[in-house]
Amino acid sequence: MADNKRPESMARITTPALAQAFIDEQLAALRAQIGDKKVLLALSGGVDSSVVAALLIKAVGKQLTCVHVNHGLLRKGEPEQVIEVFRNQMDANLVYVDAVDRFLDKLAGVADPETKRKVIGAEFIRVFEEEARKLEGIEFLAQGTIYPDILESGPVKAHHNVGGLPEDLQFELVEPLKFLYKDEVRVVGKQLGLPDGMVYRQPFPGPGLGVRCVGAITRDRLEAVRESDAILREEFAKNGLAGKVWQYFTIVPDFKSTGITEGKRTYDWPVVIRAVNTVDAVTAEVAELPFPLLQHITARITSEVKGVNRVLWDVTPKPSGTIEWE
Ligand code: XMP
């Protein structure tokens, strides 16, 4: 489709000045498209949807309603950050949906990775649709589609992360980032004043921690994933690795091993550390980590995370291992 091709004349957005020019142009275009009508946006807190939200808040203010669905598979502190930045600092209309129980009930006993993804995607659409129906007079649906999404999947109906949005609701799409590459989205986000923690976030899959709690998700093992991930991120940030390693996270497999804590025998889960560098996620190499740091992270995880007595480091490149474990 012609209108899904990036114009050849469009300069690569690499500087604050170029970002500002893009923002000014988009604000005018968004106001022209939306007029005095209302817009809805599924705001995950990821880079793309956050930048779309910030643009729309500037363009049409309270005509925008952001819906943040907490599916229980977000990282520690993420829902709080979305509320703090968008509701408290940017004064946006933000509907926060606590759907944790709904998702975890639907996922109970589901062990197959692709079925898990489908359950999460389908439930997301259902929750979002319910929220959309509660709001009156919405005519536009904003999406954080970026250029690689279009290149990878042809004319997109669905945002890559959430696995699709309601098709039977008759919305006109608003996709202000659809010709931007990821690095350009970050420059624009920075220029819009979003916090660095949001703009320079590492990639995070739509199914979230769900694919890192290997096999059938249980609440206690999911908490072990969330807590160990928070420790890993904190230690990477403290040790200057946060902006340097492309993606890093923890996984908790669905098996236990014996251990000893304070002289008592334990039978608990291991936590796996995965940290990789890549250009395009098609292949990846393992990030070299200082051994003292690994020892320190291990000590923290085994003493602070409930139900964990062992830490493993995944030193497998892609291929043969994928970046995620399922
Ligand atoms: P793999 O595990 O396939 O991951 O080597 C490559 C990149 O894609 C991310 N990933 C996903 N992102 N939905 C997403 O939005 C998914 O279902 C999904 N699965 C993997 C992964 O985090 C890595 O950056």
Side-chain angles (χ1 to χ4, degrees):
M1 278 197 332
D3 65 347
N4 267 344
K5 191 158 185 317
R6 178 173 166 131
E8 271 165 30
S9 59
M10 196 173 153
R12 190 90 180 193
I13 303 169
T14 50
T15 63
L18 289 168
Q20 193 55 51
F22 172 84
I23 292 166
D24 293 341
E25 193 182 291
Q26 284 306 315
L27 292 182
L30 288 167
R31 286 177 189 134
Q33 184 185 7
I34 297 163
D36 60 359
K37 303 291 195 305
K38 292 184 186 169
V39 195
L40 187 62
L41 169 71
L43 176 59
S44 67
V47 185
D48 307 337
S49 66
S50 296
V51 172
V52 172
L55 262 179
L56 280 164
I57 291 164
K58 274 210 158 62
V60 297
K62 297 276 172 145
Q63 287 162 247
L64 170 72
T65 299
C66 303
V67 176
H68 178 61
V69 177
N70 181 359
H71 51 28
L73 308 169
L74 298 171
R75 290 175 293 188
K76 190 170 178 174
E78 278 186 326
E80 293 82 358
Q81 188 189 35
V82 168
I83 292 170
E84 172 56 28
V85 170
F86 292 99
R87 186 184 282 163
N88 301 349
Q89 294 174 19
M90 295 193 165
D91 195 29
N93 274 330
L94 174 72
V95 178
Y96 169 76
V97 188
D98 179 348
V100 175
D101 287 338
R102 255 180 95 150
F103 276 84
L104 296 187
D105 289 351
K106 274 261 152 58
L107 285 164
V110 181
D112 174 67
E114 289 318 310
T115 312
K116 279 164 78 173
R117 279 187 171 78
K118 281 193 190 125
V119 170
I120 295 165
E123 194 59 15
F124 185 91
I125 294 173
R126 225 168 283 134
V127 172
F128 188 76
E129 207 165 17
E130 282 173 24
E131 293 304 319
R133 288 190 201 286
K134 286 184 204 161
L135 302 163
E136 305 245 307
I138 305 269
E139 291 192 22
F140 294 91
L141 178 69
Q143 294 199 132
T145 312
I146 66 171
Y147 204 43
D149 300 332
I150 291 176
L151 295 179
E152 280 159 27
S153 50
V156 274
K157 277 183 294 205
H159 185 269
H160 61 147
N161 260 350
V162 293
L165 288 170
E167 280 177 41
D168 62 323
L169 295 174
Q170 297 298 308
F171 293 128
E172 186 180 318
L173 286 184
V174 175
E175 298 178 307
L177 310 180
K178 73 174 182 177
F179 293 137
L180 300 197
Y181 289 98
K182 197 75 172 194
D183 55 309
E184 299 180 293
V185 177
R186 293 192 209 275
V187 182
V188 170
K190 179 87 184 143
Q191 186 65 16
L192 283 165
L194 289 172
D196 282 2
M198 225 163 215
V199 173
Y200 300 109
R201 259 171 56 129
Q202 53 169 324
F204 187 60
L209 302 181
V211 291
R212 298 172 183 172
C213 187
V214 177
I217 298 169
T218 58
R219 286 171 195 251
D220 46 4
R221 207 154 47 83
L222 182 60
E223 274 325 294
V225 180
R226 195 174 348 254
E227 290 300 322
S228 57
D229 172 75
I231 292 172
L232 188 79
R233 285 191 291 137
E234 193 186 316
E235 291 299 331
F236 267 47
K238 266 195 211 155
N239 289 278
L241 292 171
K244 298 209 178 101
V245 177
W246 194 82
Q247 198 174 15
Y248 47 95
F249 53 88
T250 60
I251 301 123
V252 180
D254 191 10
F255 62 80
K256 292 184 172 181
S257 72
T258 50
I260 297 175
T261 303
E262 290 166 2
K264 284 205 189 91
R265 207 169 161 81
T266 57
Y267 188 55
D268 280 329
W269 302 300
V271 160
V272 180
I273 294 174
R274 184 96 170 116
V276 297
N277 285 314
T278 174
V279 175
D280 51 14
V282 176
T283 61
E285 58 195 43
V286 176
E288 276 184 40
L289 302 178
F291 197 65
L293 176 64
L294 282 168
Q295 287 175 306
H296 177 63
I297 292 171
T298 301
R300 281 199 62 191
I301 289 176
T302 50
S303 67
E304 295 174 37
V305 182
K306 214 169 154 233
V308 170
N309 64 359
R310 200 180 280 275
V311 174
L312 314 176
W313 182 23
D314 184 350
V315 291
T316 319
K318 175 182 180 177
S320 59
T322 48
I323 296 175
E324 303 287 347
W325 267 41
E326 58 174 32

